[in-house]
Amino acid sequence: MASSSLLLLQLQPLNSLSSTSHNTLLFHQNTHYIPPLKVSAKPFISSSKPLTVLFALTESDSPKSLQPDSQTLLQELADSFDLPSDYLAQLPRDLRLDLNDAAFDLSNGPVVDECGHELGELLLILTRAWEQADSSTSHSLVKKLPALESSLTDNAKSAFGKRLISAGRRFQAMGQYGQGELQKIAKAMTAAGKLLSASSISTTIDEQPKKETRMLKFGELQVEVTPEKAYIGAAIGFVFGILSWELGQGIQSTPESSLQYANDNALLLAKSLRGALLAACYSSTLLSVFTVIGLFLYGRQLASKEK
């Protein structure tokens, strides 16, 4: 019995060592051993702060927030006009004509009434600078546009934007010239015009539709065409036609035998002048007839549109 107990006491360390070795061996064999997780009985409470941050980032990356404002686009337009002092003056003749067309589109019609007094006057001066191919004056005037934008009403911004779009098309039609300065101007002008024209809102102050105005431009002179002016022009053409006809009849009724000439050369010269005067008088009469008919019909058309 004593020997049996002694044997158990001697074998106990061996069993303990064997158990430890066995556990160590199992640990080395299972290298992907993951200790058990302790699951808490407390309810999971998510923080709303990360969700708010993600929402803010999403909103800041939206296209609407990344869209530049009108003042930034107008500043880009001003920067695009930072040209050499003789740039516009050195444009070819066909591009100068396109530049004059762009000036006409920018200030055509009642620009002061639509865009406001200050902006309207500035656009008129800018138009004259384009017609005179003055690059320095154009740049100094365009630089004032960003500061004026904040004082414009929504209707004035819309009218100004439409004029910029129309003038921008003229610059775009000029094509590539130099280092692409004209296309840069066209791009900046069109972008600013589209953003400004989108600010138009419906107002209840003036519910009546605006009367359509038609303008005729003769150099720097702009004349508004109305039914009354069309009828007056038809009357003037009618009087001029009668005078031309009477003058031609007077020349034709004068017999050649009643005039005396020094020699045959003078006779041939007189006949040539007489024929030229008759052709001019009857041509003027015919043109007056077409002008009277055209102006009369045009006046009736404008009067019907106003009604």
Side-chain angles (χ1 to χ4, degrees), residues 77-94:
L77 177 60
D79 296 339
S80 65
F81 271 94
D82 189 7
L83 304 171
S85 58
D86 58 345
Y87 182 85
L88 297 179
Q90 292 182 352
L91 292 177
R93 186 175 182 276
D94 56 340

Side-chain angles (χ1 to χ4, degrees), residues 107 111-113 115-125 148:
S107 62
V111 60
V112 176
D113 296 336
C115 301
H117 182 270
E118 189 173 2
L119 179 59
E121 292 293 336
L122 188 144
L123 293 180
L124 290 175
I125 300 174
L148 292 177

